[in-house]
Amino acid sequence: MTFANLIETIGPLLIRKDGGPSVLCPEKQLCIALWTYCNQEVYRSIADRFGVCKDTAWNCMLSVSKVLNTVSGDYIRWPAAENFNQTINKFLNVGPFPNVLAAVDGCHVEISAPCTNAASYINRKGYHSLLLQGMCDSQGKFVDVFAGVCGSVHDNRLFEMSPMGQQLITAPENVCPLDMHIIGDAAYKLHPFLMVPFKDNGHLTEDQINFNKCLSRTRMVIERAFGLLKGRFRRLLYLYLQNVAYGSLIIIACCVLHNICLDLDDDVNDEILNNIDEQRAQNIVNDLHDQDDVYNATALQKRRNIVNMLMQEEIRNQ
């Protein structure tokens, strides 16, 4: 779907003015929505800026968000099987970790305190938030997103709740062949389809430290993706929501626009780039599970094989 098709999908919006009913064109709706996504400006100020009432400004943003969610599958797509090798090779340009199809992480979007069950939205950092799980390719383009779960949920639990996580757990061969994998941080459990770092107990071997370093270097693409997302779409720095159900609509709409920007080679200004490192630091999750992790033999052997491969590569490069 082209950007022009997207505008056609939005369609006209019926509004009321002092003189009676009127129609707001799709282009103006999109302009209002984009301004709303990209700024922390209050709706009354946005309404004055575009010459509409406050309710119209909100309805424009909500209408465009719904359209973007409807067409999200056209812009946020898992790599096709015939492109797996190409995807892996592009990741090798980012870092040395082999056979990577995507990087996964969770991101908190701060929100106003909901009217009901507010405590369940308080995350480990002490503020109310909605969670965004993102999986991205080597360019930081989202290939899967899942949003709207309350902020108190652990990243690994969010992964297990997500449709892509369930598919990977129940039928991984459909989206991730056995010799390939996604990569995540220490918040996730080790699976044959999900490689995670060794948890630092103070006794890691040189081989394990090298494995963690290689994985971390490659995984930085997802943190950069979140940094770009919030740098472009400042509304995600703090969402004031009267109805928390709208949160996921807005978050996923911004993820779609993020991919569109990358598709169009949209330039990133210096201010956004300067904020990425700070956003990366906010998104690094090093939570450890309280219980003993139980890994299956296939996952453990696969990780050992990669440890040996990376160490041999390190020795060759010395």
Side-chain angles (χ1 to χ4, degrees):
M1 175 178 287
T2 66
F3 205 65
N5 295 141
L6 179 62
I7 292 176
E8 292 177 1
T9 306
I10 295 171
L13 179 68
L14 183 64
I15 61 174
R16 290 191 173 276
K17 287 189 173 181
D18 295 338
S22 182
V23 172
L24 200 64
C25 68
E27 289 81 2
K28 187 166 184 176
Q29 292 177 59
L30 185 58
C31 287
I32 293 172
L34 289 174
W35 185 269
T36 305
Y37 298 141
C38 294
N39 295 277
Q40 277 289 316
E41 195 171 357
V42 297
Y43 283 98
R44 186 176 299 280
S45 177
I46 295 172
D48 290 343
R49 181 181 297 277
F50 287 93
V52 296
C53 69
K54 187 173 72 170
D55 286 348
T56 297
W58 163 260
N59 286 330
C60 286
M61 186 278 299
L62 189 60
S63 174
V64 172
S65 295
K66 289 178 178 177
V67 169
L68 289 170
N69 275 254
T70 300
V71 302
S72 61
D74 294 327
Y75 297 98
I76 302 175
R77 297 190 297 266
W78 192 256
E82 59 269 22
N83 296 328
F84 282 173
N85 288 333
Q86 182 182 8
T87 300
I88 288 169
N89 290 334
K90 287 182 177 180
F91 263 107
L92 289 174
N93 293 327
V94 177
F97 206 87
N99 298 334
V100 178
L101 285 180
V104 61
D105 204 356
C107 174
H108 289 275
V109 176
E110 186 173 1
I111 61 170
S112 51
C115 297
T116 58
N117 300 320
S120 65
Y121 290 87
I122 299 176
N123 61 33
R124 67 185 185 283
K125 298 178 182 178
Y127 60 84
H128 298 87
S129 69
L130 292 174
L131 278 164
L132 163 63
Q133 176 181 278
M135 298 186 189
C136 77
D137 64 14
S138 60
Q139 307 304 308
K141 186 176 178 180
F142 291 117
V143 295
D144 185 77
V145 292
F146 177 60
V149 176
C150 55
S152 61
V153 173
H154 189 277
D155 276 11
N156 188 71
R157 177 60 184 143
L158 180 68
F159 178 81
E160 293 172 345
M161 293 169 63
S162 69
M164 179 56 75
Q166 292 177 10
Q167 187 170 0
L168 284 165
I169 291 169
T170 58
E173 65 280 358
N174 293 335
V175 289
C176 186
L178 186 58
D179 59 332
M180 303 176 189
H181 38 260
I182 61 176
I183 53 175
D185 62 17
Y188 297 97
K189 291 183 179 180
L190 179 69
H191 293 276
F193 55 80
L194 174 55
M195 290 289 106
V196 301
F198 291 92
K199 293 178 180 177
D200 191 355
N201 56 10
H203 303 286
L204 293 181
T205 66
E206 183 180 352
D207 292 2
Q208 292 170 337
I209 292 172
N210 181 63
F211 174 94
N212 285 2
K213 181 179 69 174
C214 293
L215 187 148
S216 177
R217 180 179 166 187
T218 307
R219 194 187 62 81
M220 285 297 169
V221 293
I222 184 62
E223 292 170 10
R224 187 175 189 275
F226 286 145
L228 283 172
L229 177 71
K230 287 189 174 182
R232 278 195 176 103
F233 306 109
R234 303 295 181 85
R235 183 68 53 173
L236 298 186
L237 296 174
Y238 181 82
L239 271 178
Y240 176 76
L241 298 169
Q242 292 184 336
N243 186 342
V244 74
Y246 293 136
S248 61
L249 281 175
I250 298 170
I251 294 169
I252 292 177
C254 290
C255 290
V256 172
L257 290 170
H258 167 89
N259 279 9
I260 290 174
C261 288
L262 293 181
D263 286 340
L264 297 176
D265 295 321
D266 181 54
D267 289 334
V268 181
N269 62 40
D270 291 338
E271 183 182 358
I272 292 176
L273 290 173
N274 291 337
N275 288 334
I276 287 177
D277 287 338
E278 179 183 350
Q279 186 60 45
R280 282 177 175 175
Q282 292 175 356
N283 288 328
I284 293 175
V285 181
N286 292 312
D287 293 359
L288 304 184
H289 298 289
D290 293 331
Q291 72 275 17
D292 292 332
D293 289 321
V294 179
Y295 302 132
N296 65 48
T298 303
L300 287 169
Q301 185 59 53
K302 184 176 185 178
R303 186 160 70 171
R304 280 194 292 267
N305 292 342
I306 297 174
V307 167
N308 294 334
M309 181 192 311
L310 290 171
M311 201 60 198
Q312 290 171 8
E313 185 68 24
E314 179 75 11
I315 293 171
R316 282 195 296 270
N317 292 335
Q318 287 178 352

